[in-house]
Amino acid sequence: MRAVIQRVNRAVVRVDGEVVGEFARPGLMVLVGATHDDGPQQVATVARKIADLRLLEADGPVTILIEAE
């Protein structure tokens, strides 16, 4: 399981062309990739790492990759 976190100015999520989520102001977008082998332990690990993440001011785009152990 992996999660990629990006600082964005806005984001839109579309499923089959339909908008299912969006925000129009600066925030964080988290893309999570999981396989059939990932279970509750991997989900908990990635969720904890995301929740514990400390973001500092930065110039320009910021991308962070988090992996389950």
Side-chain angles (χ1 to χ4, degrees):
M1 174 172 282
R2 290 184 178 178
V4 176
I5 303 170
Q6 289 186 318
R7 189 176 302 195
V8 296
N9 290 323
R10 61 184 171 81
V12 176
V13 177
R14 290 186 177 91
V15 177
D16 292 330
E18 180 181 343
V19 175
V20 296
E22 68 180 307
F23 59 92
R25 57 183 181 193
L28 297 176
M29 177 180 63
V30 181
L31 304 170
V32 179
T35 71
H36 62 282
D37 291 331
D38 293 325
Q41 179 67 30
Q42 287 81 13
V43 172
T45 298
V46 169
R48 179 184 43 77
K49 287 181 177 184
I50 292 170
D52 291 345
L53 190 63
R54 292 185 60 179
L55 295 174
L56 306 174
E57 291 292 323
D59 293 332
V62 174
T63 302
I64 300 164
L65 173 64
I66 294 177
E67 296 186 71
E69 297 169 0

